[in-house]
Amino acid sequence: MDLPPFLLDHWLAAHEFATPPIRYNLAASTGPQWSVDELLALGGGKNIGGVKIGYAPPEGGKRLREAIGGFLGVDPEWVVVTTGASEALLILLCLATRPGGNIVLPAPAFSPFAVMADAWGLGVRTYTLSRDDGFRQNAEAIFAAADGDTALALVNTPHNPTGSVMPFEEIEVLAQKLGERGVPLVVDEVYHPLYFGRQSPTAASVPNAIVMGDMSKALSLAGLRMGWLVIANPDLRKRAIDARSYFTISSSPVLEDLAAHALDNHKTLLDRLSAVATTNRAALVAFMKRVSDIVAWAEPEGGTVAFPWFKDGRDSRPFCQALAAAGVLVAPGDCFGMPEHFRVGFAAQADGFGDALTIFERTLRG
């Protein structure tokens, strides 16, 4: 099949990898970058010279699964390592495919959710996260979107691109109600545990919930391409491991070793992300007050992104192009099917965020 253009990646690639690169990247949804040397220096130092460059087990090596299990507080046997959350999603869609089946997804959402579901022959049913309600996620609306042909329902919390957080109690209720219909709940937790108010536990131990996670977002290590599924059901987990064997065979043992070392030192990684995100979010709150005559937003409750919109309903892409020309990158809302919006990341830019907002305001009022 012909896949639609991946507008977000096209936009990011045109600017992040340009020569010279964009000066201030407020389009990124990750945290502050780490170098390999910085990562290896954590915890008193790490040497990867002895790692044998062969295959790792398809489910992931024991050490890495133990590190992920420890990070989430679950049995390491429940963990299946994947090539980022992208492969985790593909595995779940592959296993859910059936004639006439569908998946329930949020709107707006990260665009590969719907595109990949369609590629696997699954219909898409959506539940709307309304900006008038702060993009709130609730069990009743999500459950109402499911029908007798629903094979999976997915929630993303903290949510990309809006930053909303689904309360843990709502996740438990939704997982139970879906379970009564035999429908698994997939919880995309790539931004866990970055919250700005009430902290939320992982859904990894919730009955009938399958958790997707990775090291790209909250752990700020996108280049490791390391993710996971947490599946308590042993039969489904076995099928997921088989699917991974067909898809990618295994991870790189070198990257698995680096990932396990990073997870052993996850507090350091999370503390750095939290410091940058908290400081920059406060600056963004003040900025949004100053420009509230032009744009509106819902304050993000977790994660690293927000999703403001133009109050007059204009298409944001021309503004995003002008802002990029001035040296500041944000992502146009048409990448998420909502052209009047734009996504702002506030955790990747460890330095210069205030300067970027100054340019942002000048361009906005220009």
Side-chain angles (χ1 to χ4, degrees):
M1 67 173 296
D2 288 331
L3 298 176
F6 196 157
L7 295 180
L8 179 60
D9 264 21
H10 289 185
W11 175 260
L12 296 176
H15 297 90
E16 289 182 326
F17 303 111
T19 304
I22 198 77
R23 186 177 178 193
Y24 298 110
N25 190 350
L26 275 57
S29 58
T30 57
Q33 290 187 339
W34 291 78
S35 70
V36 173
D37 284 344
E38 289 172 330
L39 189 57
L40 291 174
L42 296 179
K46 165 72 176 174
N47 189 321
I48 61 172
V51 177
K52 297 187 182 300
I53 307 175
Y55 289 115
E59 69 273 22
K62 180 180 179 182
R63 180 169 177 246
L64 178 56
R65 288 185 293 114
E66 288 178 343
I68 295 168
F71 177 60
L72 297 174
V74 298
D75 187 338
E77 289 299 313
W78 294 6
V79 175
V80 179
V81 175
T82 61
T83 307
S86 299
E87 186 182 31
L89 175 68
L90 292 179
I91 288 171
L92 293 177
L93 294 175
C94 174
L95 299 182
T97 297
R98 67 189 191 207
N102 66 64
I103 181 171
V104 172
L105 297 172
F110 188 47
S111 59
F113 290 163
V115 171
M116 289 295 100
D118 182 60
W120 282 104
L122 287 167
V124 173
R125 295 175 64 86
T126 60
Y127 56 94
T128 299
L129 306 184
S130 171
R131 66 193 187 196
D132 296 332
D133 196 26
F135 302 110
R136 187 168 68 94
Q137 305 182 59
N138 67 86
E140 182 179 351
I142 299 167
F143 185 72
D147 66 9
D149 293 318
T150 297
L152 288 176
L154 182 146
V155 299
N156 171 208
T157 179
H159 180 258
N160 178 12
T162 72
S164 71
V165 171
M166 188 172 187
F168 182 74
E169 298 80 8
E170 292 280 302
I171 293 174
E172 290 182 306
V173 168
L174 180 59
Q176 179 181 347
K177 294 183 73 171
L178 289 169
E180 293 168 358
R181 287 190 181 178
V183 178
L185 173 64
V186 179
V187 185
D188 176 356
E189 285 188 349
V190 296
Y191 289 106
H192 175 82
L194 182 61
Y195 303 96
F196 301 112
R198 179 187 179 192
Q199 299 298 294
S200 181
T202 174
S205 296
V206 173
N208 192 47
I210 300 167
V211 160
M212 295 194 319
D214 70 12
M215 302 190 71
S216 299
K217 306 300 186 182
L219 292 166
S220 307
L221 297 171
L224 287 184
R225 304 307 304 136
M226 200 64 61
W228 55 79
L229 288 165
V230 180
I231 307 174
N233 182 303
D235 293 331
L236 181 58
R237 187 168 65 247
K238 182 178 182 299
R239 293 173 62 210
I241 294 169
D242 277 339
R244 200 199 183 206
S245 295
Y246 281 112
F247 285 178
T248 54
I249 302 175
S250 75
S251 307
S252 158
V254 177
L255 297 183
E256 284 204 5
D257 195 65
L258 273 173
H261 174 66
L263 285 163
D264 289 343
N265 294 278
H266 67 263
K267 185 178 185 303
T268 301
L269 274 68
L270 292 173
D271 284 350
R272 183 183 179 197
L273 171 68
S274 180
V276 173
T278 300
T279 298
N280 289 353
R281 180 181 179 275
L284 187 60
V285 169
F287 167 79
M288 289 301 299
K289 288 179 180 176
R290 293 197 305 271
V291 299
S292 60
D293 56 320
I294 303 173
V295 295
W297 79 325
E299 289 188 26
E301 301 169 310
T304 64
V305 293
F307 203 45
W309 61 93
F310 280 104
K311 297 173 79 170
D312 62 8
R314 79 182 80 163
D315 186 335
S316 73
R317 184 169 280 265
F319 166 74
C320 294
Q321 291 169 334
L323 188 60
V328 178
L329 192 67
V330 299
D334 57 18
C335 298
F336 303 90
M338 301 181 73
E340 72 273 24
H341 286 253
F342 50 91
R343 191 184 73 177
V344 180
F346 52 86
Q349 195 72 51
D351 300 306
F353 191 75
D355 293 337
L357 292 182
T358 298
I359 297 170
F360 198 133
E361 184 170 2
R362 184 167 64 241
T363 307
L364 195 61
R365 297 195 181 282

